[in-house]
Amino acid sequence: MKEVHIPDSLFSKINPSIKDIRLEFEHGSLREVEITFKDSMLISDIKTRFALSDTVPENIMEMHYGDNIGSKNKPVNPKYTRWLTIYGFEHMGAGDVDCD
């Protein structure tokens, strides 16, 4: 897996509420996008801002709001979050890849 962080200088051009964007690649394909916001936001506002719906698109495995287990600063109100994580496909370890 290769992890890439988007430079801070680009956040204001994408959306000023973003603190960090991390991209994770596996076998040359984008597997995960993790967005951290500067402050807690209503999940409904995130969905509106980024034109997301409750239905996961066909090319996305799953999306999580606030499911960043590495952080100690989780919001108390479940309607708010500081994170959006989008998974394209499940992690494939070295033993999971078919090398025929």
Side-chain angles (χ1 to χ4, degrees), residues 2-68:
K2 180 179 181 178
E3 193 172 294
V4 176
H5 285 267
I6 304 295
D8 296 353
S9 61
L10 297 178
F11 296 153
S12 64
K13 294 177 183 178
I14 298 169
N15 189 298
S17 64
I18 295 174
K19 178 181 177 183
D20 185 48
I21 299 174
R22 183 184 61 81
L23 306 175
E24 185 179 290
F25 293 86
E26 189 167 330
H27 306 291
S29 297
L30 180 60
R31 187 186 89 77
E32 179 182 320
V33 176
E34 183 180 282
I35 300 171
T36 304
F37 298 99
K38 290 179 182 176
D39 199 0
S40 293
M41 297 175 59
L42 276 168
I43 291 172
S44 59
D45 288 348
I46 293 171
K47 288 179 180 181
T48 300
R49 257 184 219 195
F50 295 97
L52 301 170
S53 71
D54 292 329
T55 305
V56 179
E58 191 175 302
N59 63 338
I60 301 295
M61 187 175 85
E62 57 187 321
M63 292 190 301
H64 292 280
Y65 299 91
D67 205 9
N68 184 334

